[in-house]
Every structure is written in structure tokens, then in C-alpha cells.
């Protein structure tokens, strides 16, 4: 990860924590200034306008990693992927966990919405920190859950987020949306496919 991005994230997290807990107005002013500096750092190094960066980085409450779930669904020896409208690249179906839903409930919802299939979650394959994997730099800190699911019904159906739905074998993977999943992570899913004694991986 670029050093500037690490510094900006740390500054933003310190500012967010301080604004959450401080009762001193002078300290609040200092934390607001720290937050402004971090936001400008993100803005200078991205293609986003300052207003867009502010929306991404100014979050209320104590700073914690966001949680992203990805559904691992196999049909025979092929894995389910969806093509994202946002970048035209392929990914495991999934997204951010919504408040009020468990990770299992979230992945059922995401797969049905993005791919049209009905599934039952069966096991957690991995819990990864995106900082430790070959993803592009991101302004926020994310944890990623890979949940294997059994296909029980439904049919392929695109959504406002996805333009194609298909199954791919290990040796015929399409161009991947690496902000969402990497080739190594998909290889991990294939490796776990036939291992009944698979032990959950974590960083």
C-alpha cells in the first residue's frame, strides 16, 4: 500500500475517534482539522472531487473496518460470477453487510439480487483483511468474508448492479474486478470446493 494512503487512513481514523468521544470543544476543533487534512490527502491522490471524497471519509462513530460478504456458489466444477455494471469486470456476488442482517442473511440477499439464484449458506471459507491482499488502494479499511453456499433454486437474472451472470471453471476465469476479489482468492475457493475438512482461513 502507498505510504501516503496509510497515513491518510490513520489520520482519518484518529480524527473520527476523537470527534466521537471528545467533550472538549478545543479538541474538537483539532480533530476537525485532522479530518480536513486527511480528506485533502485522499482528494489529491484520487480522481474524485473533494465533495465526493468527504462523503466517503467523514463517517460518524468510532472507526472500525467495514464488512463485505462474497458468495461462493458452485455448479459442478464451475463457480458463479457476476459482471459489474460499474467497471465491466467479474466478481463473486456480494457487497457490504446491511445493519439488521447476519452475514448469512446478507449473502442470501446479495446472491438473489445480483444473480437471481436461491442459496443456503453452508460454511465460512475465509475472513480476509483487504490490506493483506492484492487489491487496489482503498480509502476505507475492509474485511471480506467468503461464504460457500449451496445452490437450491432460482435462475440467472441480472440486476441494476450486474449485466451478466455465468459460471466459470478454474482455468477459464474472466477479467476480474480486483477491488472486489482477486484471482488468488478465487483459486482458494476452488481449492476448498472438495475439502470437507476445510479449515477457515483468516488474516
Amino acid at each position: 500500500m502507498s505510504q501516503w494512503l496509510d497515513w491518510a487512513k490513520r489520520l482519518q481514523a484518529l480524527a473520527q475517534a476523537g470527534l466521537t468521544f471528545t467533550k472538549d470543544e478545543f479538541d474538537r476543533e483539532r480533530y476537525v482539522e485532522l479530518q480536513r487534512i486527511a480528506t485533502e490527502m485522499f482528494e489529491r491522490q484520487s480522481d474524485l472531487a473533494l465533495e465526493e471524497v468527504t462523503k466517503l471519509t467523514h463517517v460518524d462513530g468510532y472507526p472500525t473496518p467495514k464488512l463485505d460478504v462474497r458468495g461462493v456458489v458452485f455448479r459442478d466444477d464451475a463457480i458463479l460470477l457476476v459482471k459489474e455494471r460499474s467497471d465491466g469486470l467479474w466478481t463473486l456476488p456480494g457487497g457490504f453487510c446491511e445493519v439488521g442482517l447476519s452475514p448469512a442473511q446478507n449473502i442470501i440477499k446479495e446472491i438473489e439480487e445480483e444473480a437471481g439464484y436461491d442459496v443456503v449458506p453452508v460454511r465460512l471459507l475465509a475472513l480476509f483483511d483487504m490490506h493483506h491482499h492484492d487489491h487496489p488502494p482503498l480509502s476505507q479499511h475492509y474485511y471480506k468474508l467468503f461464504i460457500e453456499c449451496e445452490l437450491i433454486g432460482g435462475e440467472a437474472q441480472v440486476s441494476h448492479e450486474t449485466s451478466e451472470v455465468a459460471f466459470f471453471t478454474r482455468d477459464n476465469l474472466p477479467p476480474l474486478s480486483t477491488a472486489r476479489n482477486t484471482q488468488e482468492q478465487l483459486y482458494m475457493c476452488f481449492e476448498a470446493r472438495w475439502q470437507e475438512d476445510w479449515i477457515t482461513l483468516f488474516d
Side-chain angles (χ1 to χ4, degrees):
M1 181 191 305
S2 299
Q3 188 65 59
W4 74 264
L5 183 58
D6 186 40
W7 288 334
K9 286 181 179 180
R10 289 161 61 189
L11 278 175
Q12 197 279 331
L14 285 170
Q16 188 177 328
L19 288 170
T20 299
F21 294 113
T22 188
K23 301 186 186 309
D24 185 284
E25 285 305 311
F26 293 104
D27 281 344
R28 179 171 296 278
E29 290 179 6
R30 296 184 184 98
Y31 290 128
V32 168
E33 178 66 8
L34 273 179
Q35 190 176 57
R36 183 189 63 77
I37 293 170
T39 301
E40 288 184 359
M41 291 175 70
F42 286 128
E43 188 266 337
R44 289 284 179 91
Q45 298 293 332
S46 76
D47 296 327
L48 298 176
L50 183 59
E51 181 180 352
E52 295 177 276
V53 174
T54 300
K55 289 179 181 178
L56 290 173
T57 58
H58 290 213
V59 182
D60 293 331
Y62 188 80
T64 62
K66 294 181 180 293
L67 190 62
D68 176 79
V69 290
R70 293 289 149 184
V72 180
V73 181
F74 284 98
R75 188 168 64 190
D76 299 323
D77 292 328
I79 197 168
L80 174 66
L81 298 178
V82 295
K83 190 174 186 180
E84 290 283 341
R85 292 186 187 274
S86 62
D87 61 12
L89 300 172
W90 292 82
T91 179
L92 297 167
F96 289 130
C97 280
E98 293 188 11
V99 173
L101 298 179
S102 70
Q105 290 170 326
N106 268 283
I107 203 56
I108 291 171
K109 172 179 172 293
E110 291 287 342
I111 292 172
E112 193 279 328
E113 289 180 351
E114 294 189 357
Y117 288 108
D118 300 320
V119 299
V120 173
V122 292
R123 59 179 177 169
L124 176 64
L125 299 182
L127 170 57
F128 289 148
D129 181 337
M130 290 183 69
H131 283 179
H132 297 172
H133 297 263
D134 194 22
H135 297 281
L138 298 167
S139 63
Q140 299 286 338
H141 192 174
Y142 299 95
Y143 288 168
K144 188 173 288 290
L145 291 172
F146 291 81
I147 301 176
E148 185 175 3
C149 301
E150 179 184 352
L151 181 60
I152 61 172
E155 59 183 20
Q157 183 174 320
V158 299
S159 70
H160 68 281
E161 294 180 274
T162 58
S163 60
E164 293 183 49
V165 178
F167 286 85
F168 295 89
T169 61
R170 186 184 188 281
D171 297 327
N172 191 36
L173 294 175
L176 298 176
S177 178
T178 56
R180 297 171 175 85
N181 46 213
T182 67
Q183 180 174 281
E184 289 71 23
Q185 289 164 352
L186 291 190
Y187 285 169
M188 177 271 299
C189 295
F190 279 100
E191 183 180 350
R193 168 65 167 150
W194 302 113
Q195 293 191 35
E196 294 183 1
D197 59 349
W198 178 262
I199 297 176
T200 302
L201 303 180
F202 61 92
D203 294 320

